[in-house]
């Protein structure tokens, strides 16, 4: 009946199972014969291993960087009528603070040129110039500098600088609004000028403190792309920037690279070592005596060591233990080449103490260098954590380095006599959080009967984070995570 409806033809005969097997075998043979085989001696490149599996990072580290569902800094809409400029005296004091304490962290400005630009800006305002008629790119730099200064400044000092009623703990936030608004007015996504790069480099000190890590990463990528378009990577650009001298451009470029290569949580950098040709910053063109740029050089060299370490892990051509030892040796070489005033053990002589009175930033730099070195030694050696957990006794040397480094980070932070305001940087909070979490994990994973208890060290970390959390979103989240983890550990101990 079915065949009649379709013109009287018989239905197609279905193949048997044996026929299907033979046909599959024929197709497989034909496919193998048609494939192009690699030439003798060559090999296909091994796919890169996932970074998270190699670095043995703790998932709790990502939690402290999770951006909130609503960010005041990124979503607050503004207009020129809402942008306020501090009075001339207050503004000058804030710029002076940046030069003394922040300029050698971001290296986005060139002094005394920025002083002259600021003076001209204030003169124009006093002559009646409307803010909307000023260069929005320069304004984005200016408000970024003000934001960073107020964020890192002691509350008492801020009250002395700003008029009554303005020196609140959150006053830096409206300045950040203004900086971002001016960035948009400068149309930085469509034009390549140096001002947005400078502004983003300065704001890089602040985004994590505000809890806006997502915005930081997006803007940092933009800054690197703009900088490359301008030739800051050592290439020849059709319109190189004239606002900064050559050495200042190099220092700014290395700021971008340092933060890109030392990013936490780690992501594959958009710039590799072979993608640019820019020498390390130099202090030769500056005055004699200790210069803050030496700290910048240290950070550049440390970031290079860590980037090479992560790249070697990704390539997978050498064992992890070999890569770890090589990176550890390179970090040791960085320490050996530090000038005397930045050596971790200096600062005890009378001569060095007198030098610190003349240059107060020396002490901060020396302490921070110690923390940076310890933090990255711990990260590097922690790459072997899975192995020593799987086979007790294996790579005990790496585990010992991690434990010692973590304990030293907490001890140094606890005994650092700098005011709390000088220790609000998000990176410092991250260093101590990573150290505390590692020690907490080691306590939890210790074998029964082993005398391993780092609860006291974790409590010291919590004390520090409590002190700085009012202006540090990373510290605020970190201390909550540590307390929760500590409570869980105590509960498990009670029922074990």
């Amino acid at each position: 009946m079915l065949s009649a409806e379709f013109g009287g033809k018989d239905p197609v005969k279905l193949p048997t199972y044996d026929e299907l097997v033979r046909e599959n075998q024929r197709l497989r043979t034909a496919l193998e014969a048609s494939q192009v085989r690699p030439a003798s001696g060559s090999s296909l490149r091994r796919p890169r291993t996932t970074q998270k599996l190699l670095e043995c990072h703790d998932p709790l580290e990502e939690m402290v960087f999770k951006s909130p569902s609503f960010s005041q800094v990124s979503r607050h809409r503004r207009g020129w009528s809402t942008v306020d400029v501090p009075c001339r005296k207050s503004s000058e004091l804030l710029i002076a603070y940046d030069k003394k304490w922040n300029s050698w962290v971001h290296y986005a400005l060139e002094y005394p040129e920025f002083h002259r630009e600021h003076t001209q800006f204030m003169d124009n305002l006093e002559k009646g110039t409307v803010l909307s008629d000023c260069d929005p790119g320069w304004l984005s730099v200016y408000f970024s500098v003000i934001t960073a200064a107020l964020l890192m400044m002691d509350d008492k000092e801020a009250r002395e600088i700003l008029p009554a009623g303005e020196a609140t703990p959150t006053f830096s936030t409206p300045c950040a609004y203004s900086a971002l608004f001016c960035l948009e007015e400068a149309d930085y996504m469509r034009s390549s000028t140096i001002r947005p790069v400078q502004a983003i480099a300065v704001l890089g000190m602040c985004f994590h403190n505000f809890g806006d890590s997502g915005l930081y990463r997006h803007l940092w990528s933009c800054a690197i792309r703009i900088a490359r378009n301008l030739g800051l990577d050592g290439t020849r650009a059709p319109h190189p920037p004239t606002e900064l001298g050559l050495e200042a451009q190099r220092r700014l470029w290395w700021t971008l690279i340092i933060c890109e290569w030392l990013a936490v949580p780690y992501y594959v950098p958009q710039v590799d070592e072979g993608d640019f040709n820019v020498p390390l910053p130099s202090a030769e063109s500056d005055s004699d005596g200790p210069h803050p740029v030496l700290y910048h050089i240290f950070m550049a060299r440390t970031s290079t060591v860590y980037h090479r370490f992560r790249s070697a892990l990704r390539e997978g051509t050498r064992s992890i233990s070999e890569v770890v030892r090589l990176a550890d040796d390179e970090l040791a070489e960085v320490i050996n080449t530090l000038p005397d005033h930045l050596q971790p053990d200096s600062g005890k002589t009378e001569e060095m103490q007198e030098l610190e009175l003349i240059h107060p930033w020396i002490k901060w730099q020396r302490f921070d260098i110690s923390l940076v070195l310890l933090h990255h030694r711990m990260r590097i050696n922690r790459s072997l954590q899975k192995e020593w957990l799987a086979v007790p006794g294996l790579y005990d040397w790496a585990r010992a380095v991690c434990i010692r480094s973590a304990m030293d980070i907490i001890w140094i932070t606890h005994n650092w006599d700098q005011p709390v305001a000088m220790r609000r940087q998000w990176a410092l909070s991250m260093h101590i959080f990573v150290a505390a979490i590692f020690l907490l994990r080691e306590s939890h994973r210790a074998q029964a009967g082993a005398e391993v208890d780092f609860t006291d060290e974790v409590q010291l970390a919590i004390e520090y984070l409590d002190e700085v959390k009012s202006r540090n979103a990373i510290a605020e989240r970190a201390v909550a995570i540590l307390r929760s983890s500590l409570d869980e550990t105590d509960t498990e101990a009670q029922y074990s």
Side-chain angles (χ1 to χ4, degrees), residues 129-187:
T129 300
V130 180
L131 200 59
S132 58
D133 290 338
C134 298
D135 176 14
W138 187 90
L139 287 175
S140 69
V141 178
Y142 169 74
F143 283 112
S144 299
V145 170
I146 300 300
T147 300
L150 289 170
L151 185 63
M152 305 303 171
M153 186 177 290
D154 182 78
D155 292 348
K156 180 181 178 182
E157 190 173 2
R159 285 192 293 269
E160 293 174 351
I161 290 177
L162 295 174
E166 291 186 3
T168 63
T170 59
F171 184 73
S172 58
T173 309
C175 294
Y177 298 157
S178 298
L180 293 173
F181 169 74
C182 292
L183 266 178
E184 294 175 358
E185 290 296 306
D187 206 15

Side-chain angles (χ1 to χ4, degrees), residues 89-115:
K89 182 179 179 181
S90 297
S91 188
E92 288 174 347
L93 291 172
L94 290 168
I95 299 300
Y97 183 93
D98 174 81
K99 184 178 185 297
K100 181 178 181 180
W101 290 110
N102 290 346
S103 63
W104 43 264
V105 177
H106 57 66
Y107 266 113
L109 308 177
E110 191 170 23
Y111 287 99
E113 180 59 29
F114 188 69
H115 271 309

Side-chain angles (χ1 to χ4, degrees), residues 271-304:
V271 181
D272 206 350
E273 196 170 355
D275 294 338
F276 63 93
N277 181 27
V278 180
L280 289 173
S282 171
E284 294 179 0
S285 60
D286 296 297
S287 58
D288 296 333
H291 194 282
V293 77
L294 296 173
Y295 169 83
H296 204 51
I297 296 172
F298 157 79
M299 292 299 295
R301 296 187 64 194
T302 301
S303 68
T304 302

Side-chain angles (χ1 to χ4, degrees), residues 224 228 253 257 260-261 268-273 275-276 307:
I224 290 177
R228 298 179 82 167
W253 172 258
I257 295 302
E260 180 75 357
W261 285 355
V268 179
Q270 60 178 306
V271 181
D272 206 350
E273 196 170 355
D275 294 338
F276 63 93
H307 175 65

Side-chain angles (χ1 to χ4, degrees), residues 177-440:
Y177 298 157
S178 298
L180 293 173
F181 169 74
C182 292
L183 266 178
E184 294 175 358
E185 290 296 306
D187 206 15
Y188 73 101
M189 294 290 284
R190 293 186 177 89
S191 59
S192 293
T193 62
I194 196 67
R195 296 307 189 190
V197 181
Q198 293 176 278
I200 294 170
V202 179
L203 286 174
M205 299 178 61
C206 311
F207 283 126
H208 290 310
N209 281 69
F210 291 140
D212 217 332
S213 302
L215 180 61
Y216 162 79
R217 183 166 172 178
H218 290 311
L219 285 179
W220 207 258
S221 296
C222 290
I224 290 177
R225 291 191 185 98
I226 296 172
R228 298 179 82 167
N229 290 339
L230 294 172
L232 265 66
D233 59 352
T235 59
R236 291 187 177 182
H239 303 289
T242 58
E243 296 87 346
L244 295 177
L246 180 59
E247 178 59 30
Q249 292 180 35
R250 290 173 177 172
R251 294 175 183 181
L252 175 56
W253 172 258
W254 273 106
T255 295
L256 300 176
I257 295 302
I258 290 167
C259 296
E260 180 75 357
W261 285 355
L262 297 182
V264 181
Y266 179 83
Y267 56 82
V268 179
Q270 60 178 306
V271 181
D272 206 350
E273 196 170 355
D275 294 338
F276 63 93
N277 181 27
V278 180
L280 289 173
S282 171
E284 294 179 0
S285 60
D286 296 297
S287 58
D288 296 333
H291 194 282
V293 77
L294 296 173
Y295 169 83
H296 204 51
I297 296 172
F298 157 79
M299 292 299 295
R301 296 187 64 194
T302 301
S303 68
T304 302
V305 171
Y306 192 65
H307 175 65
R308 290 173 180 171
F309 162 73
R310 298 308 299 262
S311 297
L313 287 184
R314 286 173 57 78
E315 291 298 332
T317 56
R318 288 176 290 185
S319 67
I320 298 178
S321 61
E322 182 183 356
V323 174
V324 167
R325 286 192 180 277
L326 179 61
D328 223 19
D329 290 343
E330 290 180 349
L331 274 185
E333 180 61 24
V334 172
I335 298 173
N336 292 335
T337 57
L338 284 172
D340 290 341
H341 69 279
L342 294 181
Q343 287 288 342
D345 294 331
S346 65
K348 299 177 181 179
T349 65
E350 184 176 343
E351 180 183 0
M352 190 60 65
Q353 291 172 0
E354 291 178 356
L355 192 63
E356 290 173 1
L357 292 176
I358 301 173
H359 306 289
W361 43 264
I362 288 178
K363 189 174 185 178
W364 193 98
Q365 287 188 352
R366 185 171 61 248
F367 270 84
D368 188 64
I369 282 174
S370 298
L371 294 175
V372 169
L373 287 170
L374 290 168
H375 174 77
H376 287 93
R377 281 204 78 192
M378 186 177 70
R379 280 196 173 279
I380 288 169
N381 284 272
R382 194 178 63 175
S383 299
L384 295 167
Q385 188 177 38
K386 286 187 177 180
E387 281 76 5
W388 79 58
L389 288 175
V391 183
L394 184 65
Y395 300 125
D396 271 350
W397 53 269
R399 179 174 177 267
V401 168
C402 290
I403 292 176
R404 184 73 262 170
S405 297
M407 293 180 67
D408 285 348
I409 287 172
I410 294 174
W411 185 88
I412 290 173
T413 306
H414 178 69
N415 291 279
W416 196 355
D417 59 356
Q418 290 279 12
V420 172
M422 299 296 296
R423 296 181 285 143
R424 288 199 188 110
Q425 291 81 0
W426 69 269
L428 298 179
S429 298
M430 193 63 192
H431 293 166
I432 199 166
F433 173 70
V434 172
I437 283 294
F438 177 81
L439 293 177
L440 199 59

